[in-house]
Amino acid sequence: MASKTTRGSKAPGYKCTECGWTTIKWVGRCGECQAWGTVVETGATVARTTAAATVLEPALPIASVDAAAAAFLPTGVNELDRVLGGGLVPGAVILLAGEPGVGKSTLLLDVAARFARTGQDVLYVTGEESAAQVKLRAERIDAVADTLYLSAETDLSQALGQVERVEPRLLVVDSVQTLSSPEVEGSAGGVSQVREVAASLIAAAKKRNMTTLLVGHVTKDGLIAGPRLLEHLVDVVCQFEGERHSRLRLIRAVKNRYGPTDEVGCFDLNEDGIEGLADPSGLFVSRTKEPVSGTCITVTLEGRRPLVAEVQSLLATSPNAQPRRATSGLDSSRVSMLLAVLQQRAGCQLHKDDSYVATVGGVKLSEPATDLAVALAVASAKAGKALSSRLIAFGEVGLAGEVRPVPGINKRIQEASRLGFTHAVVPSSPNGPGPVPEGFTVKEVEHLAQALELLFHG
């Protein structure tokens, strides 16, 4: 006689931890999102809770809730405070993810020391290094403080025991993938372990009103390792970005329950540690005494932050039937499109030239607003005429050669004026460029050919 499933229970099954796809038998690869190793058993019985419990803390009208307990606490690192929306929120759990060697541990050790110097207890739990190794790095970057406690643990229960003993206001875990619980099957860094570790640390943070900073690893595709549930559970998710051969580091918030997600923090990673850059534009502009052909300055928006950057271009007659197209810091397919637009819509004959287009300082420019600067740099290299060193240009270029308006025109102009530029070529817009600083000249253009005529024949 077949057994019956009781009400409020469900038959054994399997579920993908990434996308939620379900199946009645285990498979190694999810049939929906095609991820490997994410299908786990959901359990044979799930009880349904229907009985009401005694209310310990009655619900309050939202107007009477005291928000002072969630006030921002500055970290001492202004660029990080900018990204977080003002600082650390008590009880918040922040996930900082990035590639190996980008500077995650260095930044959080600096933050921990600065926070400890305010008189607060800070616990730094490391699962990747010994306490002595962390101490050496702390001495190198001047991050030693009396109330900063170090613990080298890979066992979750031991780490929680250290939290009980120290009772810190700030907890740093480096990294969440190195901790494991003996009560959960699987190795450290696995889906089940990461889920258990994150849930336990988040529960401890909320119970103690303790701000928690978690370091997260990323996969080869640049995604945060572990289940997507990890990103849903935490309050803030930040991405730490930077080229291995460049000193520049960028932090941007992907998720932020307490502030904006369109702010970017800039840092300089050097032998003495990591320092915030309030004005990083100087890293992205070359310093030459005389203007050089093939260069153009632009202003890009990283979130809400305007950054001045330089685009350089070099053309050389190609010995091959198929000219070479090389880029650095720019989208290669978009640069190829702009070369075609220059040739077909503006009369620049580039089909016999090898073209090399790059940015200065290792900065990556992905915003379409940089199209006009790229086109002008290539045209300048072709004509052998240098643009003014006090000129900036920005605007999106379409396949018909039209120059389209971009967001933040006035903000870009104000930033360029602040840094000493005096001329700008911008796209024509219905509302105009807005208030222009005194002594600053703005030329509006509707077509790429019009911009070239203005700069090289006007």
Side-chain angles (χ1 to χ4, degrees):
M1 182 176 179
S3 61
K4 295 182 179 180
T5 303
T6 59
R7 185 179 181 181
S9 66
K10 64 179 181 180
Y14 297 85
K15 181 178 181 180
C16 175
T17 57
E18 293 289 336
C19 67
W21 178 74
T22 58
T23 179
I24 60 174
K25 64 179 182 179
W26 183 86
V27 291
R29 188 177 189 178
C30 173
E32 180 68 25
C33 65
Q34 304 299 312
W36 287 96
T38 60
V39 179
V40 297
E41 187 175 3
T42 57
T45 304
V46 179
R48 180 180 298 173
T49 302
T50 57
T54 303
V55 176
L56 301 178
E57 295 185 8
L60 298 175
I62 190 171
S64 63
V65 175
D66 184 13
F72 287 106
L73 300 175
T75 64
V77 181
N78 294 334
E79 291 298 300
L80 182 59
D81 290 343
R82 174 201 291 266
V83 176
L84 297 178
L88 302 175
V89 175
V93 180
I94 302 167
L95 176 65
L96 179 63
E99 295 182 355
V102 76
K104 304 183 298 296
S105 301
T106 302
L107 174 63
L108 293 190
L109 183 58
D110 184 42
V111 170
R114 290 174 183 269
F115 197 81
R117 291 184 186 125
T118 63
Q120 307 286 349
D121 289 335
V122 179
L123 175 61
Y124 190 103
V125 178
T126 174
E128 300 181 346
E129 302 173 278
S130 67
Q133 290 172 326
V134 176
K135 172 67 180 304
L136 288 176
R137 187 169 70 250
E139 291 178 338
R140 176 173 60 85
I141 66 174
D142 191 23
V144 178
D146 294 335
T147 56
L148 173 58
Y149 298 87
L150 296 179
S151 175
E153 296 288 353
T154 57
D155 185 272
L156 175 60
S157 58
Q158 292 292 328
L160 293 175
Q162 295 286 359
V163 172
E164 291 278 352
R165 185 182 66 85
V166 178
E167 296 184 351
R169 289 294 305 278
L170 174 64
L171 170 66
V172 180
V173 178
D174 185 11
S175 64
V176 69
Q177 279 89 0
T178 59
L179 292 182
S180 62
S181 172
E183 300 177 3
V184 178
E185 295 183 359
S187 59
V191 173
S192 300
Q193 287 288 357
V194 170
R195 184 190 299 111
E196 175 66 19
V197 170
S200 300
L201 293 175
I202 291 172
K206 302 302 180 184
K207 178 182 178 181
R208 297 175 172 276
N209 206 29
M210 170 185 66
T211 305
T212 302
L213 294 169
L214 306 178
V215 175
H217 296 165
V218 296
T219 65
K220 62 181 180 181
D221 298 324
L223 303 177
I224 298 176
R228 293 301 297 270
L229 179 67
L230 177 61
E231 298 178 53
H232 291 291
L233 288 176
V234 299
D235 301 305
V236 183
V237 179
C238 293
Q239 285 279 3
F240 207 178
E241 306 169 358
E243 292 291 333
R244 183 175 297 273
H245 303 293
S246 173
R247 292 169 49 182
L248 177 69
R249 298 292 185 267
L250 298 178
I251 291 184
R252 63 183 81 244
V254 181
K255 168 189 174 182
N256 192 351
R257 289 174 178 165
Y258 311 114
T261 57
D262 55 357
E263 283 287 4
V264 175
C266 298
F267 295 86
D268 179 19
L269 182 66
N270 52 53
E271 60 275 5
D272 297 324
I274 190 165
E275 301 175 358
L277 294 174
D279 189 5
S281 297
L283 295 176
F284 312 142
V285 180
S286 62
R287 304 295 181 184
T288 56
K289 295 182 179 180
E290 298 294 334
V292 180
S293 63
T295 65
C296 185
I297 311 294
T298 188
V299 182
T300 182
L301 284 181
E302 286 287 349
R304 293 185 295 179
R305 186 174 193 171
L307 296 177
V308 172
E310 180 176 336
V311 178
Q312 295 184 339
S313 175
L314 177 65
L315 301 179
T317 302
S318 178
N320 306 315
Q322 185 69 27
R324 184 178 180 184
R325 305 287 189 248
T327 62
S328 176
L330 296 160
D331 182 24
S332 58
S333 60
R334 195 161 190 89
V335 172
S336 296
M337 182 199 75
L338 291 172
L339 295 177
V341 172
L342 275 168
Q343 179 159 317
Q344 294 299 115
R345 306 297 185 184
C348 289
Q349 300 303 314
L350 305 172
H351 60 284
K352 295 183 179 180
D353 294 330
D354 290 334
S355 65
Y356 304 87
V357 186
T359 59
V360 172
V363 64
K364 288 186 176 181
L365 300 180
S366 58
E367 191 187 17
T370 60
D371 287 352
L372 184 57
V374 173
L376 293 180
V378 174
S380 171
K382 182 64 178 178
K385 295 182 179 180
L387 298 174
S388 170
S389 60
R390 299 297 179 184
L391 171 75
I392 64 160
F394 55 84
E396 181 182 357
V397 177
L399 291 178
E402 77 279 13
V403 181
R404 301 171 183 168
V406 295
I409 291 179
N410 188 256
K411 181 181 293 187
R412 300 172 200 258
I413 291 175
Q414 297 292 338
E415 176 68 8
S417 176
R418 184 183 71 83
L419 294 176
F421 294 90
T422 57
H423 296 75
V425 178
V426 305
S428 178
S429 62
N431 299 326
V436 178
E438 184 178 355
F440 199 92
T441 303
V442 176
K443 298 291 185 180
E444 295 185 88
V445 295
E446 297 181 350
H447 197 275
L448 179 58
Q450 181 184 356
L452 297 181
E453 179 70 22
L454 176 68
L455 294 176
F456 299 111
H457 305 290

